[in-house]
Amino acid sequence: MSSALHEQPYLESWCWMSRQIRCAMDPDEPRLIEHYLAEGRYLACCTATSPWMVAETSFRLLLDTATDVALPWHWRSLCLDQAWRPLREMERLSLCKCRLKRWQSYTWQLAICELLPSIPLIELVQGFSDDQDTY
């Protein structure tokens, strides 16, 4: 079996989990983040997928989700709490100056990340209704 055929189901699963996380499809299931990170570790160690790419993608996903005010606060907070894990892996993989510089930039982004309050659901629904009236 070729490496790509072996890798494809895991990559698809990892991508699906990333969409579930990013869209807060199941915000009351914090284990989804752990499953996503575990699937990424498997891709990085057992397939041809770049470990740096997995760690960087995971970090960006968690930080972007954490700063999305349209998502529930508790989900955003969970994502922020876990963002250090792929960041730690990037530090381990920072074997050249360009990667080290990117890692430092990401550590700074995490250090200064401020979670703004989430937009209440009622405001999201009302905003959608108001937008529909203008057409």
Side-chain angles (χ1 to χ4, degrees):
M1 181 184 309
S2 78
S3 175
L5 290 176
H6 175 69
E7 179 179 21
Q8 192 61 31
Y10 296 101
L11 192 55
E12 287 176 6
S13 174
W14 188 64
C15 289
W16 171 242
M17 283 187 268
S18 73
R19 285 188 293 276
Q20 289 179 301
I21 290 169
R22 186 63 185 90
C23 297
M25 292 173 144
D26 195 0
D28 295 323
E29 183 49 77
R31 294 174 295 183
L32 177 61
I33 296 169
E34 176 54 40
H35 291 304
Y36 170 76
L37 294 173
E39 195 84 5
R41 286 190 301 272
Y42 178 82
L43 281 169
C45 79
C46 301
T47 71
T49 307
S50 161
W52 177 268
M53 186 277 301
V54 168
E56 186 175 31
T57 301
S58 299
F59 174 75
R60 289 293 344 146
L61 172 78
L62 293 171
L63 195 63
D64 290 347
T65 303
T67 57
D68 187 342
V69 296
L71 299 176
W73 171 263
H74 71 282
W75 185 249
R76 296 170 54 217
S77 182
L78 282 169
C79 289
L80 186 62
D81 286 346
Q82 295 301 313
W84 66 271
R85 296 171 72 191
L87 192 61
R88 180 185 60 191
E89 185 62 15
M90 280 190 286
E91 179 184 24
R92 188 183 70 76
L93 297 167
S94 296
L95 304 176
C96 63
K97 287 184 180 181
C98 63
R99 282 188 177 175
L100 183 60
K101 189 172 183 176
R102 282 174 83 168
W103 172 78
Q104 289 170 334
S105 170
Y106 289 143
T107 58
W108 180 248
Q109 288 176 38
L110 183 59
I112 64 168
C113 181
E114 182 178 340
L115 290 188
L116 298 173
S118 292
I119 299 171
L121 182 59
I122 190 71
E123 287 183 29
L124 289 172
V125 172
Q126 287 174 345
F128 181 75
S129 296
D130 292 343
D131 291 344
Q132 294 297 319
D133 295 339
T134 61
Y135 295 114

